[in-house]
Amino acid sequence: MKDIILIGIDFSDTSNNALQYGVGLAKKMSADILLVWVDTTPADEDAETQHEKRLEAKHKLKALAADVEARNTGVNVRCKLRKGMVHRELAFVAKEVDARLMVIGTDGISGVEEFRIENNTFRIIAQSPCPVISVRQNYKVTDKIETLMLPIDEMKNTTDKLPLAIQLAKDIEAGIRLLNIYHPKIESLRNQTNTHSTKAAKILEKENVISDVDVPIHTADPKEVVEAAVNSAVDMLVIMTNPVMSRADIPEGILAQKVIHFSPIPILSVQAKPI
């Protein structure tokens, strides 16, 4: 049975770019594609208007699916319409079909709103039962996905993203490069980063997916993390996120959110899976 890549569609330029990226992944992974459109119209809108919107969306989805299949031999595309809140419905469908990955588009946010934990992109990522790749609207999609970058810091669960990253790298024939994030002042925390990095490098070498030397930075500032990835010319940044369940989780969620919105390159967000 083939893996399924779920792609959220709203017919905007942003989601169309995510679709193009998802198609490239599907070809590399020999996976099927499921396009999902969510009807977010208010329940009090008249029935005829709702029906017309759903009918129009259904026709557009079918046209998109037919176009993708016509342009990409061997790629199978299905469509599904849902009604409700986008993040909940995408998560429901992803769980229902046991999606391997979800691909969504994001515009990035500037100003005050970039720090809001409630934004839709991060809600989708936090609710999703599968890893999510977020792609910026202005990202130039190509067939090149050669290097993934994994940030490694002093946190004890920092290597939990390795299993999924390794499997994806093997599936798309890519390498993995480590980004070592050192605490700027506390030596004991710097040593912990070194310990985790050494462990990760050994695993990557054993799995034959290690790519080039490690990149060190001395700050966890999201902009610096993104800048290091961009300067290293990697094709994807892999970060770990957790649903916000309590006040203690909020700092980690906000940092992940900032990385997602600052990054011009695709971000793969995964939830912890210990190795």
Side-chain angles (χ1 to χ4, degrees):
M1 186 175 180
K2 287 187 175 182
D3 287 327
I4 295 174
I5 297 176
L6 187 157
I7 304 176
I9 294 291
D10 63 7
F11 309 115
S12 65
D13 290 341
T14 302
S15 74
N16 289 339
N17 205 44
L19 171 60
Q20 186 180 350
Y21 189 89
V23 169
L25 272 179
K27 291 166 68 175
K28 289 178 180 292
M29 298 170 61
S30 298
D32 287 341
I33 291 174
L34 177 61
L35 305 181
V36 180
W37 175 80
V38 180
D39 180 0
T40 59
T41 55
D44 58 358
E45 190 169 58
D46 69 272
E48 184 177 351
T49 301
Q50 290 191 46
H51 176 72
E52 289 177 355
K53 285 184 177 180
R54 289 182 66 85
L55 193 60
E56 181 183 10
K58 184 177 181 180
H59 290 324
K60 285 184 176 181
L61 277 180
K62 285 187 175 181
L64 271 180
D67 182 66
V68 169
E69 290 185 339
R71 293 171 180 268
N72 302 276
T73 303
V75 176
N76 299 313
V77 185
R78 293 185 291 137
C79 307
K80 187 177 284 285
L81 282 72
R82 299 286 300 180
K83 182 171 178 60
M85 300 180 72
V86 173
H87 61 284
R88 290 180 180 174
E89 297 306 318
L90 290 182
F92 177 86
V93 175
K95 184 176 181 180
E96 181 182 50
V97 302
D98 192 23
R100 168 83 180 276
L101 291 170
M102 184 187 301
V103 181
I104 60 173
T106 180
D107 294 318
I109 297 176
S110 59
V112 176
E113 288 195 356
E114 72 185 8
F115 303 111
R116 291 180 56 195
I117 201 68
E118 296 86 3
N119 80 82
N120 213 35
T121 298
F122 198 74
R123 280 186 172 187
I124 292 170
I125 291 168
Q127 292 274 335
S128 176
C130 65
V132 178
I133 298 176
S134 50
V135 184
R136 291 285 287 270
Q137 177 185 341
N138 58 358
Y139 178 73
K140 186 176 180 180
V141 177
T142 69
D143 291 333
K144 176 179 173 289
I145 310 178
E146 296 177 353
T147 308
L148 283 57
M149 176 165 271
L150 272 68
I152 299 292
D153 58 20
E154 73 275 4
M155 302 298 290
K156 64 180 181 180
N157 64 347
T158 189
T159 57
D160 288 357
K161 53 187 172 286
L162 273 172
L164 186 140
I166 289 171
Q167 187 58 57
L168 179 61
K170 288 182 176 181
D171 288 345
I172 64 176
E173 299 182 345
I176 296 176
R177 193 173 187 184
L178 299 179
L179 173 63
N180 296 332
I181 302 175
Y182 293 101
H183 194 282
K185 296 180 179 179
I186 303 176
E187 186 66 23
S188 61
L189 297 182
R190 293 164 63 86
N191 290 337
Q192 288 179 31
T193 296
N194 273 332
T195 299
H196 296 319
S197 178
T198 300
K199 173 186 176 182
K202 288 181 179 179
I203 294 172
L204 296 180
E205 186 173 3
K206 179 181 178 181
E207 297 290 342
N208 198 31
V209 291
I210 197 162
S211 174
D212 214 337
V213 297
D214 300 350
V215 177
I217 60 173
H218 299 276
T219 173
D221 181 273
K223 288 185 178 179
E224 297 286 343
V225 171
V226 170
E227 183 178 352
V230 172
N231 290 341
S232 299
V234 299
D235 304 299
M236 185 185 296
L237 185 60
V238 183
I239 66 172
M240 196 156 58
T241 58
N242 288 319
V244 178
M245 301 297 292
S246 68
R247 291 180 64 85
D249 294 321
I250 290 176
E252 180 177 354
I254 291 176
L255 287 174
Q257 184 188 24
K258 288 181 180 179
V259 170
I260 291 166
H261 289 307
F262 289 144
S263 178
I265 63 177
I267 298 286
L268 172 61
S269 300
V270 305
Q271 293 185 19
K273 184 177 181 181
I275 59 176

